[in-house]
Amino acid sequence: MRYGHFDDERREYVITRPDTPLPWINYLGSEDYIALLSNTAGGYSFFRDARLRRLIRYRYNNAPLDVGGRFLYVRDDDTGDYWNPGWQPMQRELDAYTCRHGLGYTVIAGSRGGIRAETTYLVPPGQTLEVWRTRVTNDRLTAARVSLFGAVEFCLWDAQDDATNFQRNLSTGEVLVEDGVVYHLTEYRERRDHFAWFACSAPVAGLDTSREAFLGAYRGWDRPLAVERGTLGGSVAHGWQPVGALQVTLALEPGESREVTFTLGYTENPAGHKFDPPGSGRPDTTRARAVIDRYRRAGQVDDDVEELRAAWEERLATLQVASGNPHVDRMVNTWNPYQCMVTFNLSRSASMFESGIGRGMGFRDSNQDLLGFVHMVPERARERILDTAATQLPDGGAYHQYQPLTKRGNDAVGSGFNDDPAWLVVAIAAYLKETGDLSILDEPVQWDNAEGSETPLHDHLRRCISFTLDRLGPHGLPLIGRADWNDCLNLNVFSEHPGDSFQTAPNRPGGVAESVFIAGLFVLAAREAEAVARMRGDEIEATRCRDAAASMTTAIEAHGWDGAWYRRAYDHVGQPVGSAENDEGQIFIEPQGLMAMAGVGLEDGRTRTAIASVRERLATPHGIVVQQPAYATYHLELGEISSYPPGYKENAGVFCHTNPWLMIGEAITGNAEGALDYYLRINPSAREAISDVHRCEPYVYAQMIAGRDAPTHGEAKNSWLTGTAAWNMVAISQWILGIRPEHDGLRVEPVVPASWTGFRATRQFRGTTYDIGVVRASRGDPLTAGSVEVVVDGRPIEGTLIPLPVPGTPRVRIEVVLG
Ligand code: BGC
Ligand code: NOJ
């Protein structure tokens, strides 16, 4: 069952009924001001940090779902009927409803009783406000008198404090009302130099700033007294819950439309400009007013929409494909890169599943997210690498998280997730392959953000490699620490008390648990580091990395192989995890695909066997589960993984992040059918038709789909902020379509099913546009099966790596013939 459809032409997903199984959201804004916006206009907004600078309230975990957001009420002033064009919070039946989620904007339209309201929501590029531009149309044959009410409930900035510290915060709320604008001033009197405001382009007929006055005692947003009455009372909030509620009255002739723009903004005043006049308690509103005035002018919003569209077209032009498979095309061309940008901007901080309070920027997460967007915004990738590396600890280890506002490591979580540093190597390698910008390696970068501690980035790379080598366990495999990629495999922690962190509770002394996964990842990283050292002419480092990769490979061969797949780990007492010797958790997905990526086990055929074992034991129609059999009970010696009911999350859920590793593994071992098959199993568009089962948005990946042990098998959770986005982008674009940046040029080596007659693609790479045409020649001819011939500007080349053209070459034409 579907709740809408893709409009590929406009790069929009069109939702045609408001009661989607879960809020289906979009993100507005990409730098400072970010808004989460659901298909019923729910959600919240913040300036840079979802916890510390939250502008409006949102109530997670509520009934009904999706409480809090951008409240718009249309009131027929002749009959008193009132309703929300986005359906929520009143849920009054609408005669028509659509929500178009586009790239950085959303348009929600609803109509009832012959009045239509269509609102475009967006965050103008480079600005710190959100705009709701509403067009109200009278579709009746008679004149109509209509009131439009816009309202927000302010969050008192720190979302955690706002939801907990009532003894204080019920007394701190303050507003200023001036010229029809509501300024939200809580804590501005003391240390804050920022405030929020809510304004409107039309003269306001009335306003309220006290929630109780607007809603009425014991009433909710679903039946605000002031809207019911049709007039706002001009309340001024002192403490309690400050809101901004504005009323505009419109007299509409038959067929007439009027536009009203509401703006919710954030303004920071520079030092010396806090109060006007200086020393008074009155905030200086000059800067805010300039923005408010700009959005009181008609036309500004259309210009912004155009600018957004143009920016996205330019960004997306880096890779476009026409394969004929709609699920491939729309994900590769639009939605997957879009999701990659959102995960890049937000890491794992704010979504319908991440409250914006708990998690900073993950070290491993940020490095992997980079793989999905480096081709679109290389300069921001560069900055991200330098920021992330500056949080690195002098021993090469990493804080597991860092804070987005300060960009400093998070002491509360600390370090000891021993896979973290290796991901920095992978990210740097990806950046270099995309851009060829070796200068980044010489950038001075701090250690643990300490002034004066700078050494060149290549030294950070070196210490990433040393970090693992300095921490080898009894089998010569890397020590796992608190956890590796699988945050829930806590083999040294032995967490016994409810509420204790599974990861950061004190580790049992002598933590010798080892990770076969990190071993594979290390080989991958060491190979990348070797290539980088070689390009820098550092033969000593190149040799060290080569030897380290070789000896780690030997350790994997000796202790990582279980007979038909790679083991996952060795626990605290040296027992294997992910082995046929275990009763549960016999085979894990993570190492199987990763070994192929690292080039381990390709020659002796083990990787092929491992990949076949995955298909036999872990693959379900809804994707590949993490492990089997699921853990039925809690295992102290394993940790959080066994805390989840079977089939969820790391305990045998389909953890979508890992599935692309198998797609890549299948592609590397030449199984084109297998690779695409896995790709389509978790592809959100391919799952659109089962939206009632999948339940999350059909246009973005979810972190998890419930596995076969769960009664809800096939149900997705944790959509949007997941490494799944980046890795699927890598799998489909680089390994299946086979368009892969390398240090010495672009490789084009598609591994697509025999049923594909070909595809076309354009890829911008280091300043040149590659027009790529792939055709299948002699289908089924055993003599040429599997061969790939590449012709560059009419000349056949040896192999599949296209040498870099003369700098400045605008276009290169590539023809690829698949046997
Ligand atoms: C989740 C993991 C996540 C971790 C972060 C766990 O509860 O299952 O997916 O990585 O929390 O700390
Ligand atoms: C989500 C976390 O953000 C990521 O870092 C981790 O690798 C996966 N969960 C698996 O545990």
Side-chain angles (χ1 to χ4, degrees):
M1 175 180 171
R2 291 181 162 82
Y3 292 79
H5 57 267
F6 286 91
D7 182 338
D8 292 322
E9 191 84 2
R10 297 178 56 82
R11 303 189 194 276
E12 291 174 342
Y13 190 80
V14 188
I15 300 165
T16 48
R17 47 184 288 184
D19 56 341
T20 46
L22 295 165
W24 283 3
I25 72 164
N26 194 9
Y27 286 84
L28 315 180
S30 60
E31 284 179 72
D32 293 335
Y33 189 107
I34 307 271
L36 283 71
L37 179 78
S38 74
N39 57 307
T40 63
Y44 59 98
S45 312
F46 55 91
F47 175 80
R48 286 199 194 152
D49 187 312
R51 170 172 167 191
L52 297 175
R53 301 274 167 95
R54 194 174 296 194
L55 272 84
I56 53 175
R57 284 194 176 136
Y58 188 75
R59 293 180 179 82
Y60 281 90
N61 198 8
N62 215 319
L65 276 178
D66 205 19
V67 175
R70 292 120 193 126
F71 302 108
L72 263 189
Y73 303 86
V74 176
R75 183 177 190 278
D76 182 335
D77 287 336
D78 291 318
T79 64
D81 180 44
Y82 67 106
W83 48 281
N84 307 112
W87 188 62
Q88 285 259 63
M90 295 180 64
Q91 303 185 358
R92 282 266 162 93
E93 200 175 321
L94 298 172
D95 300 331
Y97 161 91
T98 53
C99 166
R100 292 179 164 266
H101 281 318
L103 306 186
Y105 67 89
T106 288
V107 183
I108 299 177
S111 61
R112 180 176 158 99
I115 305 295
R116 178 154 48 99
E118 179 185 287
T119 306
T120 301
Y121 298 88
L122 80 144
V123 172
Q127 306 207 38
T128 59
L129 79 156
E130 67 183 68
V131 173
W132 327 342
R133 199 261 324 265
T134 302
R135 199 168 277 146
V136 187
T137 305
N138 176 12
D139 287 330
R140 298 176 185 163
L141 300 172
T142 52
R145 291 188 313 124
V146 171
S147 281
L148 183 66
F149 298 82
V152 291
E153 179 174 354
F154 292 111
C155 177
L156 308 183
W157 299 116
D158 178 339
Q160 167 113 322
D161 189 88
D162 185 65
T164 50
N165 193 7
F166 304 112
Q167 62 78 25
R168 170 181 158 86
N169 68 33
L170 292 179
S171 295
T172 54
E174 288 190 287
V175 296
L176 167 74
V177 174
E178 240 180 45
D179 184 26
V181 178
V182 177
Y183 295 92
H184 174 227
L185 294 183
T186 302
E187 292 184 348
Y188 191 77
R189 62 169 51 249
E190 26 124 346
R191 292 154 299 174
R192 292 188 187 275
D193 55 8
H194 47 266
F195 55 79
W197 40 264
F198 188 56
C200 168
S201 63
V204 300
L207 58 80
D208 263 315
T209 68
S210 145
R211 189 180 79 183
E212 191 171 345
F214 179 68
L215 297 182
Y218 289 93
R219 284 178 170 233
W221 291 96
D222 57 337
R223 43 185 205 117
L225 185 63
V227 178
E228 192 173 291
R229 201 173 52 217
T231 53
L232 301 189
S235 61
V236 177
H238 299 285
W240 300 108
Q241 287 90 1
V243 300
L246 304 174
Q247 177 182 12
V248 173
T249 51
L250 306 167
L252 297 170
E253 292 304 315
E256 189 183 352
S257 283
R258 290 275 294 282
E259 236 175 67
V260 177
T261 302
F262 293 95
T263 49
L264 170 64
Y266 169 94
T267 298
E268 213 164 271
N269 275 336
H273 294 267
K274 184 158 171 168
F275 299 112
D276 178 25
S280 73
R282 187 195 168 279
D284 187 336
T285 55
T286 323
R287 278 155 208 84
R289 278 202 322 263
V291 182
I292 292 166
D293 287 346
R294 178 168 340 132
Y295 285 92
R296 283 181 165 162
R297 288 195 284 276
Q300 184 62 46
V301 176
D302 293 316
D303 294 349
D304 289 335
V305 172
E306 270 323 298
E307 192 182 330
L308 259 179
R309 271 187 181 283
W312 269 108
E313 285 308 319
E314 193 186 319
R315 211 173 270 167
L316 295 175
T318 43
L319 175 64
Q320 289 291 293
V321 59
S323 75
N325 182 320
H327 308 307
V328 172
D329 291 357
R330 64 170 65 112
M331 289 313 291
V332 171
N333 294 339
T334 303
W335 294 100
N336 197 352
Y338 183 57
Q339 185 180 4
C340 286
M341 278 308 298
V342 172
T343 52
F344 165 65
N345 289 326
L346 287 143
S347 192
R348 306 294 173 269
S349 67
S351 72
M352 286 293 122
F353 303 86
E354 302 278 7
S355 66
I357 290 175
R359 297 169 74 186
M361 313 282 288
F363 191 92
R364 81 159 81 85
D365 294 340
S366 295
N367 282 312
Q368 290 172 85
D369 291 346
L370 187 139
L371 308 177
F373 67 78
V374 58
H375 61 292
M376 289 184 282
V377 284
E379 61 303 327
R380 292 186 71 192
R382 187 180 210 274
E383 187 187 326
R384 174 62 60 84
I385 287 173
L386 297 174
D387 284 347
T388 312
T391 68
Q392 204 183 351
L393 295 160
D395 66 358
Y399 285 101
H400 194 48
Q401 291 175 7
Y402 65 98
Q403 297 309 119
L405 266 184
T406 62
K407 299 183 176 174
R408 300 182 90 88
N410 178 344
D411 286 313
V413 182
S415 65
F417 296 75
N418 285 353
D419 63 318
D420 274 332
W423 294 112
L424 178 61
V425 182
V426 174
I428 293 174
Y431 173 78
L432 293 174
K433 289 176 184 172
E434 182 65 38
T435 62
D437 167 28
L438 288 177
S439 76
I440 192 176
L441 296 168
D442 296 318
E443 286 287 341
V445 180
Q446 294 178 340
W447 295 92
D448 194 3
N449 296 105
E451 218 153 292
S453 64
E454 293 82 357
T455 65
L457 184 67
H458 61 77
D459 186 40
H460 284 254
L461 260 185
R462 188 181 60 77
R463 291 196 220 176
C464 287
I465 299 298
S466 301
F467 177 84
T468 305
L469 294 176
D470 292 345
R471 285 166 186 74
L472 298 179
H475 298 92
L477 296 166
L479 295 177
I480 197 169
R482 300 180 181 284
D484 62 17
W485 174 88
N486 190 329
D487 268 327
C488 298
L489 209 49
N490 316 119
L491 304 180
N492 295 311
V493 185
F494 295 83
S495 180
E496 268 181 286
H497 305 292
D500 269 1
S501 158
F502 289 104
Q503 285 87 25
T504 59
N507 281 12
R508 190 167 274 191
V512 292
E514 298 165 280
S515 165
V516 178
F517 171 83
I518 301 183
L521 176 62
F522 176 81
V523 174
L524 177 69
R527 295 206 159 152
E528 299 285 19
E530 179 195 343
V532 173
R534 195 142 283 140
M535 287 191 294
R536 286 188 53 251
D538 185 346
E539 285 305 320
I540 296 177
E541 179 62 6
T543 307
R544 181 180 83 115
C545 291
R546 193 198 56 206
D547 294 349
S551 56
M552 190 65 79
T553 304
T554 309
I556 296 170
E557 283 164 357
H559 303 291
W561 184 246
D562 196 63
W565 55 81
Y566 288 98
R567 291 184 170 174
R568 182 64 179 78
Y570 285 92
D571 71 10
H572 193 81
V573 294
Q575 292 301 307
V577 177
S579 159
E581 288 173 24
N582 303 119
D583 295 332
E584 299 169 327
Q586 293 179 334
I587 168 171
F588 279 67
I589 185 174
E590 298 98 310
Q592 320 310 335
L594 199 90
M595 291 304 174
M597 285 158 62
V600 176
L602 290 178
E603 274 151 35
D604 59 17
R606 282 181 172 180
T607 290
R608 210 178 275 273
T609 306
I611 288 174
S613 297
V614 168
R615 192 165 287 276
E616 188 188 317
R617 291 170 179 253
L618 301 182
T620 80
H622 297 291
I624 315 167
V625 300
V626 176
Q627 99 277 3
Q628 286 286 286
Y631 297 109
T633 56
Y634 181 56
H635 292 253
L636 192 57
E637 76 288 4
L638 297 175
E640 184 169 4
I641 189 167
S642 57
S643 75
Y644 286 111
Y648 293 103
K649 297 276 284 182
E650 283 86 344
N651 190 13
V654 175
F655 215 96
C656 295
H657 185 138
T658 59
N659 282 217
W661 298 341
L662 267 294
M663 299 166 201
I664 297 171
E666 294 278 14
I668 288 177
T669 52
N671 181 5
E673 268 69 21
L676 192 75
D677 167 39
Y678 282 151
Y679 176 75
L680 292 173
R681 289 190 202 199
I682 63 165
N683 177 303
S685 159
R687 298 174 62 77
E688 184 197 18
I690 53 161
S691 286
D692 45 337
V693 177
H694 184 79
R695 303 188 83 227
C696 279
E697 295 92 335
Y699 41 91
V700 291
Y701 286 95
Q703 179 204 64
M704 199 252 326
I705 298 173
R708 64 157 82 105
D709 301 286
T712 55
H713 188 28
E715 182 187 41
K717 285 192 188 123
N718 301 19
S719 55
W720 281 99
L721 304 183
T722 160
T724 310
W727 276 108
N728 273 281
M729 195 67 202
V730 170
I732 183 71
S733 65
Q734 299 188 20
W735 296 95
I736 298 176
L737 301 174
I739 305 170
R740 191 156 68 243
E742 294 192 1
H743 293 301
D744 301 325
L746 192 65
R747 190 176 293 281
V748 183
E749 196 176 284
V751 184
V752 293
S755 59
W756 280 32
T757 52
F759 67 88
R760 296 206 64 79
T762 53
R763 174 69 154 90
Q764 294 168 0
F765 178 66
R766 302 198 200 173
T768 299
T769 301
Y770 293 73
D771 292 307
I772 304 168
V774 178
V775 291
R776 168 102 42 206
S778 47
R779 278 172 76 180
D781 178 348
L783 284 179
T784 54
S787 68
V788 184
E789 277 164 34
V790 179
V791 179
V792 180
D793 282 333
R795 276 195 217 102
I797 61 163
E798 201 50 44
T800 54
L801 181 67
I802 296 145
L804 289 169
V806 183
T809 307
R811 296 193 96 85
V812 171
R813 199 161 40 83
I814 311 291
E815 289 149 81
V816 180
V817 183
L818 303 178

